[in-house]
Every structure is written in structure tokens, then in C-alpha cells.
Amino acid sequence: MKNKMLTDHISIILNGLLLQGLKNAVIAPGSRSTPLALGLAQLADEQKINLFVDVDERSAAFFALGIAKKTNIPVLLVCTSGTAAANFYPAICEAKISHIPLIVLTTDRPPELTNIAAPQAIDQNRFFGNQVKDFIELPLPETNQDSKDYTNYIIQQSFQAAMTNPAGPIHLNQPFRKPLMPDLPLVFDLNQRKYNFLPFISSFNDKLSEKLHNSFENKRGIILAGPQQTPLGNLKMLEWAKKSGWPILADPLSELRGMNSTNLITCYDSLLKIGLKNLDILKPDIVIRTGQTFVAASLVNFLKNSHAQIYFLDENNNHSDYTKTSDFSLNLSSEDFFEKLRPVATSNTWLKKWIDVERIFTSINKNSSVNLLNELDVVRAIAQTCNSNSNLFVSNSMPIRDVDSVLQPTSPLNIFCNRGANGIDGIISTALGISINSTNTLLLTGDLAFFHDMNGLMMAKKYHLKIKIIVINNNGGGIFSFLPQAGSDNFETVFGTPLDIDIAQIATLYNAKYSLATTDKKLKSLLKSPTLGLEIIEVPTNRNENVALRQSLIENFKQQITKEL
């Protein structure tokens, strides 16, 4: 055999990943990663994994992020040496903050080619710094059995570490010497040891449960359900809230919205924006906060100004309370907490007042009577046409805020968003990663985010992925119109940043079906039709009108509450 050391080393790495449950891999191609690329291609041919190749490293990383976000299983992400790894950085930042499991395997020059100006040789040691859970420098291929055993162990341990709470990316750096061609086909050792790693299990003892029950008894309480809840955790939360008579303020990324329960409240952002000064009847004594960072910034001031006792279910035990308001932090999941906590007694009028407020908001949260679509109507159309089988990916900036404000679906949706770093980069690629093995995925994005990740559309074309993309085209950065710099000198130049891009021409470039939707009827018709491939729906809107639109919604809500309550 020509290159037995390299072949054995690659076989150990790939087989170790398979033993731990690897299903998907994404490669950004290059020379130094040749051994891994060829080995992964063989596994794909043998139908042991799904393999995706993306020539744009930034897009590749976000595509892998999308797959991992959907499956909650680590995805292997591979690149060559040099600045290729640098383009992974934004997606890795997102994965770290959002607790998405990734195995980032960068390939590298051997030690003798570093620090001597060899081509494509940069310092890759701890390259991603604190943005990964751990960094491991893998050994060069060797015949030494201890080295082989170490490689097998550390590969399998890294896979499990990526999934262990708090989940996140693990960086493995693998140096290779030439020649880079392994002996193919790879033959895997059927006796390669598989390691079993037991997950950490937190406990909620009876003494603490009883103490909290007594503290909550006969108190006015609310539950703030943040992003990234689990389905079972949501069910336990709903069951407890129903028995206790507590409202749940449901962030759209909690995936609670659309479930059949009068305890669910969606109007909180608009309610807080009109002010609660005259609504003491809605002020809680107890707040239980779950999940990750909320979309609604209004909740921060609400918590800071609240006189309630605030309990934070810090499942990942990383003290990630950005509001800095929690009186108590508990290292417990929603599932464990609400399953073991006995329901409490609460006044019947407490939940009824919240239900009344939600009813009032729902009565005014209607599609506009005008013919031309606006940005809030786009969200309403999505709520009225998508079903529980739908994957909805929402871009940052205005789209996710609009979804938070007015999304009241009739059934639960699988809603995703990159809310870790809150960036607009990689939006298309992440959504496409979520769309694999699915025929009903919708992306809602703005024109700037669409342009920023336009290269990502190539993956839809290459792998015949099925996705509808709604591009809200207000010709610039719509969110800045809501910030203090709106109206300042040179606003359009440095904040509005109109691009004047031709969405139809972009659709042609990537063989996408293009549609222009200017009316509610047209948009709903397009959303109800089967997704046959890559479809781009452009909705032109006006940035200046959108500010007034949202102000009008809040003012109408305020008037109705004043009238009815």
C-alpha cells in the first residue's frame, strides 16, 4: 500500500465519527483536505452519510449550521488550510451563542511548513478562540498505536462534546504531509472501539420543588417562553400553566405559537410599547423565564422595571441572562421544571385579563384593506397559509421583529432564526441547510440580507433543494428607519444603503422561479402552491411607510384597550 499511515489515520477519524452517529458533512474543497474529501465522498457513495460540497466557505459553514439547527446532531464541516477557515468564523460565532453542535475540521500544513512563509500556511492554532467549546490539534498520521487510540478517542469524544449542554462547535485542526492521496477505497476496522459517553443529568429535588410551589401559591405569575424550547418541554409548560392559570408570553422562536391554548399570549410586544402604567391588573408577582434571548427588546425594560421575583431556567448553566434581572437561576430544563413542580392556585381573574388583552389585539391584527402589500401583511399571510409541516426561517433585522409583533398562526410552525449573533450574514445558506429532506420550507428575508448571501443560492441549484424565499424589497436597511439616526444628514448614504438590485435577474442566474407579489391575494396563492424547487417571491415595500404602519398598529391597540378595559 502506497500511503498506509495516511489511509489508516483517515479511516480512524471517519469511522469514529460514524460510530458516534455522523449523518451529514459539508466540504469547502481545497488541496490540503484531499484525504478527508475523498474519504467522505466514498461514504456518500456507500450511502452512509449525506455529503454537500460548497465552494464558498462562508456559505458552507452556514449551510452546515442550518442542518445542525434542524437535526440537533453535529455536522462535520471541512476545509483546506489558510484563509478558508477564516470564512467559517461568522457561522461558528452563531453556533457558539445559539448552542448548535458542529465539528469544524480544518486541515493544515505540517509543522515544518509553518512560520516560513509557505503558501496557504497561517497560524491555525486556536484559530477561532473562545467562539468554540474546545480546540484540539490532531496528531499527524503515525504508525504508533497509542497515537491511533488517541485519535479514535478524541474524535468520538469531540462529537459528544459538541452535543453536550451547552451544545456548540468543536474545532479540530488536522495537519497533513504530502503525499495527500490515501489508498482507496478506505477499509474500516470493524473492531474499532466505540466509546459511550453518559450525558450529565441535573436533578430537581423534592425539597426545592415544594419550596417553589409554596412561593408561587396564590401569586400572579407569568411564564416568558423564549427561543429554542423542546417539544416535550413545551407540552409540560402548557400543562402546568393551564392547571395553574398562568399566561405564557410566547416568543415566536419558542414554537408555542399556534398551539391550541388560551394561556398563550402573543401581543406582549405591542402591549409593552403602549405602556402598562394604567394596567396594574396585568403586573405579575412572579416571572418564570425560559429559553434563550427574546426577540422583543421591550421585555428587557419590562423585567428591569418589574417588582416581581424572577426565576430563570438556565438549562445550559452559562449564566446567560442578558437582562441581568434574575433573582434566582436554576440549572433546569423546562421539561424537568414543569414536570416536577406541582400546579399552584391562582385567582380566576388573573388569566382572564390576559386573555381579554390577547382577544383585543387579535381583533385589530388584520390584513390591511388596501390593495398593496405591506411588511406586516406578509407575516399575516404566512400565518394564514403555513401549517404544522412548514419550516419557516426568518432573517434578522426587521423580518424577525415583524414576526414577533404580528405572527398568530392557526397551527404551530417550525420556526428558525440565527438569533445568537443576530447577524444578517449566511441567512440563505442556513435556510437551505434546514430545507434538506423537506418539501415545505419558507425563508422570509429582506433585500440586504438576500444580497449578502446571494452565493448561497448555488446550493439550492446544485442539490435541487425545495424552498420558497420571500424577499421583502424596501431597497435598503429598513430597521434603521426605527432607530435614532433616522432622518439625520446622510442617512440614506450610510444607513439606508439602497442597492437597487434586480431580484428577477438574480433568480434567472440561479435557475429559480421568480414571482412578483404586490397583493395579499397573490402572495397567499403563491404560498399555498406546492414548492417544486427554488422559488423567489419579491414583495416591494416602502421603508418610510412601514414606520407609520407599526405606529398605527400600536395606537389602535391602545385605543381599544382603553375602551374595553
Side-chain angles (χ1 to χ4, degrees):
M1 298 180 74
K2 298 177 182 178
N3 204 346
K4 189 175 188 312
M5 279 198 309
L6 176 64
T7 303
D8 288 349
H9 190 74
I10 296 301
S11 299
I12 289 169
I13 290 174
L14 296 183
N15 199 29
L17 291 170
L18 290 175
L19 288 172
Q20 289 298 317
L22 180 71
K23 301 296 182 186
N24 295 284
V26 181
I27 300 175
S31 176
R32 193 60 51 166
S33 57
T34 294
L36 287 164
L38 292 175
L40 289 167
Q42 177 185 321
L43 293 181
D45 288 342
E46 295 171 356
Q47 298 185 336
K48 292 179 180 177
I49 63 166
N50 299 313
L51 178 63
F52 302 91
V53 180
D54 193 338
V55 298
D56 182 335
E57 285 88 1
R58 187 176 70 171
S59 172
F62 277 106
F63 188 81
L65 178 83
I67 300 173
K69 191 184 282 277
K70 177 74 180 298
T71 63
N72 292 314
I73 298 173
V75 174
L76 178 64
L77 179 62
V78 179
C79 72
T80 190
S81 63
T83 57
N87 290 289
F88 284 172
Y89 194 70
I92 288 171
C93 293
E94 177 65 32
K96 174 67 184 303
I97 304 175
S98 295
H99 307 303
I100 306 299
L102 290 177
I103 302 294
V104 183
L105 209 172
T106 57
T107 54
D108 202 356
R109 264 37 180 178
E112 64 269 20
L113 291 181
T114 58
N115 300 311
I116 58 171
Q120 275 188 257
I122 64 175
D123 185 0
Q124 295 179 199
N125 181 53
R126 301 188 181 278
F127 191 65
F128 302 113
N130 292 329
Q131 301 306 321
V132 292
K133 289 183 66 177
D134 200 3
F135 167 81
I136 297 143
E137 179 84 3
L138 293 174
L140 284 155
E142 295 184 26
T143 57
N144 182 281
Q145 189 59 46
D146 285 342
S147 178
K148 292 181 178 181
D149 291 343
Y150 168 76
T151 300
N152 182 36
Y153 173 80
I154 207 67
I155 285 291
Q156 295 192 45
Q157 189 271 340
S158 296
F159 192 93
Q160 286 299 322
M163 288 193 294
T164 303
N165 278 348
I170 303 290
H171 178 201
L172 307 175
N173 192 55
Q174 175 64 74
F176 286 129
R177 289 191 177 101
K178 291 183 177 179
L180 297 171
M181 280 296 297
D183 298 307
L184 299 174
L186 297 178
V187 178
F188 298 115
D189 181 1
L190 297 179
N191 295 316
Q192 183 171 330
R193 180 176 177 180
K194 178 182 178 181
Y195 292 92
N196 297 301
F197 302 92
L198 296 177
F200 171 77
I201 301 175
S202 60
S203 60
F204 187 23
N205 60 55
D206 293 340
K207 184 177 180 180
L208 176 58
S209 175
E210 192 63 23
K211 182 178 180 180
L212 291 176
H213 173 271
N214 293 336
S215 298
F216 298 166
E217 186 79 0
N218 295 313
K219 298 289 180 60
R220 302 190 302 183
I222 61 173
I223 300 169
L224 303 184
Q228 290 188 275
Q229 304 290 337
T230 65
L232 185 55
N234 278 341
L235 289 175
K236 296 295 182 183
M237 186 192 307
L238 277 170
E239 182 181 352
W240 189 91
K242 182 177 181 181
K243 291 179 179 178
S244 300
W246 284 27
I248 300 175
L249 279 55
D251 186 279
L253 300 177
S254 70
E255 299 193 359
L256 277 162
R257 294 192 186 186
M259 298 186 77
N260 185 21
S261 174
T262 55
N263 294 76
L264 294 174
I265 305 299
T266 66
C267 68
Y268 53 85
D269 185 46
S270 296
L271 180 67
L272 293 173
K273 285 176 179 175
I274 67 174
L276 282 172
K277 291 181 180 179
N278 299 319
L279 292 174
D280 288 341
I281 54 174
L282 297 178
K283 291 183 178 178
D285 304 312
I286 303 289
V287 175
I288 300 174
R289 182 190 154 203
T290 75
Q292 296 190 24
T293 301
F294 286 85
V295 172
S298 56
L299 282 171
V300 178
N301 289 331
F302 167 68
L303 291 172
K304 286 181 177 180
N305 297 325
S306 172
H307 297 294
Q309 279 196 327
I310 300 171
Y311 295 78
F312 176 36
L313 302 187
D314 186 13
E315 180 179 3
N316 294 309
N317 198 29
N318 58 0
H319 310 290
S320 55
D321 178 14
Y322 74 111
T323 70
K324 300 182 287 294
T325 58
S326 299
D327 297 299
F328 305 96
S329 291
L330 305 172
N331 180 207
L332 293 166
S333 67
S334 296
E335 178 183 337
D336 290 337
F337 183 82
F338 289 108
E339 181 176 37
K340 296 177 182 177
L341 183 67
R342 283 195 296 129
V344 296
T346 310
S347 168
N348 292 333
T349 60
W350 173 239
L351 179 60
K352 184 180 183 303
K353 293 297 183 183
W354 281 95
I355 293 174
D356 287 342
V357 169
E358 180 76 358
R359 172 184 53 77
I360 292 169
F361 181 78
T362 302
S363 70
I364 65 169
N365 185 28
K366 304 291 186 182
N367 298 66
S368 303
S369 58
V370 296
N371 291 325
L372 292 179
L373 272 173
N374 61 59
E375 295 181 18
L376 295 184
D377 279 346
V378 171
V379 176
R380 293 174 181 126
I382 291 171
Q384 293 158 10
T385 55
C386 292
N387 55 45
S388 56
N389 295 320
S390 302
N391 298 317
L392 171 62
F393 191 92
V394 186
S395 178
N396 281 312
S397 291
M398 284 313 302
I400 188 59
R401 287 168 173 80
D402 291 341
V403 165
D404 187 33
S405 295
V406 302
L407 184 75
Q408 295 181 307
T410 55
S411 60
L413 307 177
N414 302 310
I415 307 179
F416 305 90
C417 184
N418 287 343
R419 291 300 290 173
N422 284 218
I424 65 164
D425 44 349
I427 297 297
I428 292 172
S429 299
T430 311
L432 288 173
I434 285 169
S435 77
I436 69 168
N437 301 321
S438 173
T439 60
N440 198 1
T441 300
L442 175 66
L443 165 61
L444 175 64
T445 187
D447 56 301
L448 287 188
F450 179 79
F451 171 77
H452 205 277
D453 194 28
M454 200 168 67
N455 282 2
L457 293 169
M458 183 57 72
M459 294 298 280
K461 178 180 177 181
K462 183 175 182 179
Y463 291 101
H464 308 289
L465 301 176
K466 297 180 179 180
I467 188 171
K468 286 188 172 109
I469 301 176
I470 298 177
V471 183
I472 295 178
N473 189 359
N474 55 26
N475 201 23
I479 193 170
F480 296 109
S481 298
F482 292 82
L483 300 179
Q485 56 265 50
S488 61
D489 292 343
N490 297 313
F491 174 81
E492 278 296 287
T493 302
V494 296
F495 294 108
T497 57
L499 298 178
D500 297 313
I501 56 174
D502 190 331
I503 307 293
Q505 289 292 331
I506 295 171
T508 300
L509 179 63
Y510 292 98
N511 294 345
K513 177 186 175 184
Y514 169 82
S515 301
L516 180 68
T518 58
T519 65
D520 182 70
K521 181 179 180 180
K522 175 68 173 180
L523 179 59
K524 287 180 179 176
S525 175
L526 291 169
L527 292 177
K528 289 176 181 177
S529 65
T531 306
L532 302 178
L534 174 60
E535 301 181 27
I536 298 174
I537 303 168
E538 180 181 6
V539 179
T541 62
N542 183 288
R543 276 188 273 133
N544 294 327
E545 291 177 359
N546 285 327
V547 176
L549 181 72
R550 290 161 181 80
Q551 291 173 341
S552 175
L553 176 67
I554 294 169
E555 184 59 33
N556 288 342
F557 189 28
K558 181 178 180 179
Q559 291 178 6
Q560 286 299 115
I561 284 181
T562 302
K563 183 187 300 182
E564 296 193 37
L565 295 184

